[in-house]
């Protein structure tokens, strides 16, 4: 199942990322590091999110929104044009 990834860039470059990945696992590989907790459910960084939790949320909703430690929003959703 192909997914669409939107990654906000608040650095001032206005270089938001918008691309597809072949699976939710490959998309989450970009944002999650097992050794560091730097992904959150909120942009204030008060509610940490694990990769396992992110996969569970995605599997239930076909979409997940989370934030990195800089408060940049990431949205991953199932690609509706992918019939696989």
């Amino acid at each position: 199942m192909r997914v669409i990834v939107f990654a906000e860039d608040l650095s001032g470059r206005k270089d938001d990322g918008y691309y597809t990945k072949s699976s939710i696992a490959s998309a989450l590989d970009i944002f999650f590091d097992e050794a560091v907790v730097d992904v959150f459910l909120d942009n204030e960084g008060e509610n940490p999110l694990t990769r396992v939790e992110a996969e569970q949320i995605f599997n239930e909703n076909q979409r997940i929104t989370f934030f990195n430690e800089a408060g940049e929003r990431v949205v991953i959703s199932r690609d509706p044009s992918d019939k696989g």
Side-chain angles (χ1 to χ4, degrees):
M1 162 194 358
R2 190 171 56 215
V3 297
I4 299 170
V5 178
F6 167 77
E8 182 179 42
D9 178 12
L10 297 176
S11 70
R13 293 188 316 252
K14 301 288 187 199
D15 192 21
D16 294 339
Y18 183 80
Y19 47 92
T20 60
K21 294 300 267 179
S22 61
S23 68
I24 185 62
S26 64
L28 293 176
D29 284 345
I30 299 168
F31 302 101
F32 285 85
D33 178 353
E34 296 298 322
V36 179
V37 177
D38 60 354
V39 178
F40 305 91
L41 283 171
D42 61 312
N43 63 347
E44 290 85 26
E46 295 178 3
N47 298 299
L49 179 68
T50 67
R51 183 186 174 120
V52 170
E53 292 168 332
E55 287 185 72
Q56 289 172 340
I57 293 168
F58 180 85
N59 289 333
E60 290 174 15
N61 303 317
Q62 302 299 292
R63 177 184 177 100
I64 179 140
T65 301
F66 55 86
F67 299 84
N68 65 14
E69 60 189 1
E72 296 169 323
R73 181 173 49 119
V74 175
V75 179
I76 303 174
S77 63
R78 184 170 195 256
D79 184 347
S81 68
D82 182 27
K83 303 299 180 198

